[in-house]
Amino acid sequence: MIRVAVSGCAGRMGSAVVDAVRAAEDMEVVCGIDPHAPADAAFPVYPSVAEALDAHEVDALVDFTQPNVVADNLACALPRGVNCVVGTTGLSTDTLEDLAATAANDACLFYAPNFTTGAVLMMQFAKAAAPFFPEAEVIEFHHCNKKDAPSGTAVRTAQIIAEARDGRKSAAPGRETEIEGAQGARGALIDGVPVHSVRSMGYVASQEVVFGSMGQTLTIRHDSWDRTSYMPGVLLGIRSVGERSGLVVGLENFMA
């Protein structure tokens, strides 16, 4: 039985993780971490990761919290040898590498910009298309309460496209064409790829990758309309993280 602690257990994603773990036959929620403990929690809830790990033996910590607290949570768990499954975005590659270097007992830091299998496949399809199209832009759509922009998925998609281009740059007009008072119209440049963020009620998470070449476009789109779409990927991460060590980025590493 895999013993799981859920950080951010009172939040929207954290609550969905709790339900998914409790429904799985090979794992259990031994505790939660959240400053806003649900009154009807069926397990102990602590205000900090340190207090939770002092009280319980944990095989995996799942973190769906906030960009401003996730690094401190991992800095507490990894030196104790606790494997970490992280869905909170906003951490840089340098920060992830620094945190992974603190891990004890060959613990693994698994970070996934997106836990849906469809989003992972979208990124892989984008990687395959990138060498054949001189232009590419990413448009991501999320609910209005998302704390970071652009999303981790959009950043990772842009990085993958840039890597697959092997140094080739876009010839499309960029920030130099933005009119006065409308700076940002061409989006944020991530490794040379424009990324645009939409925040609105009605979305959970959607993303389009638009490729263009002479006389044609190719659009790859993924839509997630419910947080349950993330749960198979989260469970896969929990089951797989104990077999790895160091830093692992991307669910595709476990989708063999």
Side-chain angles (χ1 to χ4, degrees):
M1 189 70 71
I2 304 172
R3 298 165 297 187
V4 180
V6 180
S7 185
C9 63
R12 290 181 294 268
M13 283 297 296
S15 298
V17 172
V18 167
D19 291 342
V21 170
R22 295 186 69 194
E25 296 181 354
D26 59 340
M27 58 186 73
E28 62 176 332
V29 178
V30 295
C31 65
I33 302 101
D34 203 296
H36 308 289
D40 58 347
F43 45 82
V45 179
Y46 300 87
S48 71
V49 171
E51 291 172 88
L53 298 184
D54 284 343
H56 299 273
E57 292 290 327
V58 173
D59 298 311
L61 171 72
V62 180
D63 191 291
F64 279 93
T65 55
Q66 302 292 338
N68 62 332
V69 300
V70 58
D72 288 341
N73 292 343
L74 301 178
C76 178
L78 289 166
R80 296 179 184 231
V82 177
N83 297 308
C84 295
V85 176
V86 182
T88 307
T89 56
L91 294 173
S92 69
T93 300
D94 288 344
T95 299
L96 290 169
E97 291 174 347
D98 290 344
L99 288 166
T102 70
N105 302 326
D106 292 325
C108 179
L109 169 54
F110 170 53
Y111 170 78
N114 197 302
F115 279 93
T116 62
T117 52
V120 172
L121 291 171
M122 172 190 62
M123 288 186 274
Q124 295 303 304
F125 297 155
K127 179 180 179 179
F132 301 97
F133 288 86
E135 310 300 342
E137 306 208 12
V138 179
I139 310 169
E140 54 101 347
F141 310 77
H142 278 82
H143 56 90
C144 58
N145 294 316
K146 186 169 175 57
K147 302 298 183 182
D148 57 327
S151 69
T153 303
V155 171
R156 183 61 186 144
T157 303
Q159 292 170 339
I160 288 172
I161 291 170
E163 292 166 4
R165 282 175 164 177
D166 195 25
R168 187 176 59 187
K169 301 296 184 182
S170 169
R175 290 177 175 170
E176 72 279 2
T177 64
E178 295 173 346
I179 64 174
E180 185 175 353
Q183 288 78 11
R186 289 291 292 120
L189 283 180
I190 307 294
D191 290 351
V193 178
V195 177
H196 311 266
S197 296
V198 177
R199 297 289 177 267
S200 177
M201 291 185 290
Y203 288 106
V204 175
S206 299
Q207 180 170 290
E208 290 184 3
V209 186
V210 182
F211 290 99
S213 67
M214 188 68 68
Q216 64 173 332
T217 61
L218 170 66
T219 300
I220 304 169
R221 182 181 175 105
H222 174 256
D223 297 291
S224 177
W225 300 118
D226 193 279
R227 290 176 177 84
T228 55
S229 64
Y230 292 80
M231 294 307 111
V234 173
L235 297 182
L236 176 60
I238 294 170
R239 293 186 178 110
S240 304
V241 72
E243 302 171 359
R244 306 289 285 270
S245 61
L247 177 62
V248 178
V249 177
L251 188 65
E252 64 272 13
N253 291 284
F254 299 148
M255 289 173 58

